[in-house]
Amino acid sequence: GIPVPAGRMAEDADAARRAAEALGGARWVVKAQIHAGGRGKAGGVRLCRDLDAVEQAAGALLGSTLVTVQTGPAGKRVGKVYVEAASSIARELYLSLVVDRDRGCIAMTASPDGGMDIEQVAKESPGRIVSIPVDVDDGPAAADLARMAGFLDLPGMHDAFAGLAGDLHRAFVGLDASLIEINPLIVTESGELLALDAKLALDDNALFRHKDAAALRDPEEEDARETEAARFGLNYIQLEGSIGCMVNGAGLAMATMDMIQLKGEKPANFLDVGGGVTEDAVIEGFSLLFSNPDLRAILVNIFGGIVRCDIIAGGLIKAAQKQAMRVPGILRLVGTREAEGRKLIEEAGLDVRWARDLDEAAELAVAAAREGEA
């Protein structure tokens, strides 16, 4: 129910031109569709005043790599653009809903200084941002919305703002969202409120209730290794360091990464194999680690409770048979079937270094990574 400009998706320059023709009007905006903010400052949002310009903008963006403040230096490849009817903007505002874990509620945040520099506003002028608590069931209180509308300087538009804020709350709860951010929320020259751009983050654990939303997932916008890991029930996140990690349990994984950083290097990934991991999943996990070209060492830190150390060992052996270990491996296997796991590794003749505790494991991994760098 939130008002948005008319627009159409396009995957090639001709389709972008046809989209603009179908939308009508005299001006259009071509937006790169990547999962990252900061597109405007990076040239990923282009205003076009004729159809030729639409086609040229789409052609320039499609297939290019867009580097923004949120993509990291590698950037993201643009595979789709969104062609939108241009809007007459009088003012740009900011409005969002997010789960506020400190207050145990939803928080609605707003600023009269929306647009590309909202992050700078937060840093330099925090007084220009206001946040109110919102009850999950009842939604924002009328008195709070009136104060927020006054803060946003919306004379004569309090009812319109309250209606939009109520719709936003219903969308947030109805979609099981963790974040809905409208930036900018514009006031048009004709005095209407319009969501010019938005970000939505949905709770993965609730997607079974939202088949239509789940169908919108675009694997091309995700790291291929993370997508592959998810197929095997592995929690994998690609990072920028040089030491690959395989750990069981998110807390132990984070502690392992902290220790690596404390010793002077950076982890290449987060990989939690979980409690009920199979040998096939372990093989896939090691294959993911081996595929990282920046890898200089691997640290395996397993505290076997539910997880059996011999399953981890068997997975490493089979992964090494498929793809040779080109970097040193540091192993700490403690707990269930520890002796069996160590025996399997030794009998396979794998060149690994054993660690007694996490501190020693991190030191060995950092030393091995630095050897590889040299």
Side-chain angles (χ1 to χ4, degrees):
I2 307 295
V4 298
R8 296 190 177 191
M9 193 75 76
E11 297 188 29
D12 60 63
D14 288 341
R17 185 186 186 104
R18 292 194 301 273
E21 288 176 331
L23 290 168
R27 297 187 308 156
W28 305 269
V29 179
V30 178
K31 298 181 177 183
Q33 296 298 283
I34 61 170
H35 286 185
R39 294 171 301 159
K41 288 186 175 181
V45 178
R46 305 189 184 189
L47 178 63
C48 304
R49 290 179 169 81
D50 57 56
L51 294 173
D52 289 340
V54 169
E55 189 171 348
Q56 290 165 8
L61 286 171
L62 288 163
S64 70
T65 298
L66 198 63
V67 180
T68 81
V69 293
Q70 292 188 12
T71 63
K76 280 185 170 287
R77 182 184 176 277
V78 181
K80 300 179 180 69
V81 295
Y82 191 68
V83 182
E84 187 175 87
S87 302
S88 298
I89 302 172
R91 294 177 57 212
E92 294 187 345
L93 313 175
Y94 173 91
L95 184 65
S96 71
L97 281 175
V98 67
V99 175
D100 187 331
R101 301 187 186 280
D102 290 335
R103 290 189 281 185
C105 64
I106 300 169
M108 180 174 285
T109 303
S111 173
D113 303 321
M116 291 193 293
D117 295 316
I118 187 63
E119 290 87 358
Q120 209 65 22
V121 173
K123 288 180 182 177
E124 298 176 0
S125 307
R128 298 286 289 172
I129 297 175
V130 68
S131 179
I132 61 171
V134 176
D135 184 87
V136 174
D137 296 318
D138 297 336
D144 287 337
L145 289 179
R147 284 194 296 272
M148 184 171 276
F151 178 77
L152 295 174
D153 190 20
L154 296 172
M157 301 179 66
H158 285 207
D159 288 346
F161 176 74
L164 185 144
D167 287 339
L168 191 64
H169 169 261
R170 281 188 288 275
F172 189 91
V173 174
L175 286 167
D176 291 298
S178 56
L179 166 74
I180 299 182
E181 179 185 72
I182 301 175
N183 186 38
L185 171 67
I186 67 166
V187 180
T188 67
E189 290 180 352
S190 59
E192 297 174 314
L193 290 171
L194 196 64
L196 209 58
D197 199 49
K199 285 191 187 68
L200 284 79
L202 308 183
D203 185 342
D204 289 349
N205 294 313
L207 280 178
F208 71 94
R209 288 202 290 245
H210 307 286
K211 305 290 194 229
D212 53 343
L216 296 173
R217 181 180 179 183
D218 185 356
E220 292 182 9
E221 280 296 305
E222 302 170 8
D223 184 284
R225 281 172 283 202
E226 294 178 17
T227 303
E228 184 66 13
R231 286 202 316 114
F232 285 84
L234 301 171
N235 294 311
Y236 179 92
I237 299 173
Q238 183 68 31
L239 301 173
E240 296 179 358
S242 60
I243 299 176
C245 303
M246 177 180 285
V247 190
N248 65 309
L252 185 59
M254 289 187 285
T256 302
M257 294 191 297
D258 285 346
M259 286 297 292
I260 290 170
Q261 191 104 359
L262 187 65
K263 301 295 183 181
E265 287 292 333
K266 293 182 178 180
N269 63 275
F270 171 98
L271 174 54
D272 170 18
V273 299
V277 67
T278 64
E279 191 172 89
D280 285 343
V282 173
I283 295 170
E284 178 64 22
F286 279 116
S287 297
L288 288 169
L289 298 185
F290 295 161
S291 68
N292 185 349
D294 298 322
L295 203 68
R296 296 202 299 271
I298 290 175
L299 170 54
V300 180
N301 184 23
I302 299 296
F303 191 84
I306 301 173
V307 173
R308 287 168 36 192
C309 293
D310 59 334
I311 288 179
I312 301 295
L316 173 57
I317 293 166
K318 290 183 179 177
Q321 290 169 348
K322 291 172 58 180
Q323 187 176 354
M325 286 181 63
R326 54 181 177 78
V327 298
I330 290 78
L331 269 63
R332 176 183 179 245
L333 301 180
V334 179
T336 306
R337 299 185 72 85
E338 173 186 342
E340 291 86 344
R342 182 184 283 263
K343 183 178 179 182
L344 286 171
I345 295 287
E346 291 171 350
E347 289 178 348
L350 291 186
D351 182 18
V352 299
R353 305 170 195 182
W354 293 94
R356 292 162 297 186
D357 55 40
L358 177 52
D359 189 78
E360 182 184 24
E363 283 188 1
L364 288 172
V366 168
R370 289 175 177 171
E371 289 170 14
E373 188 176 30

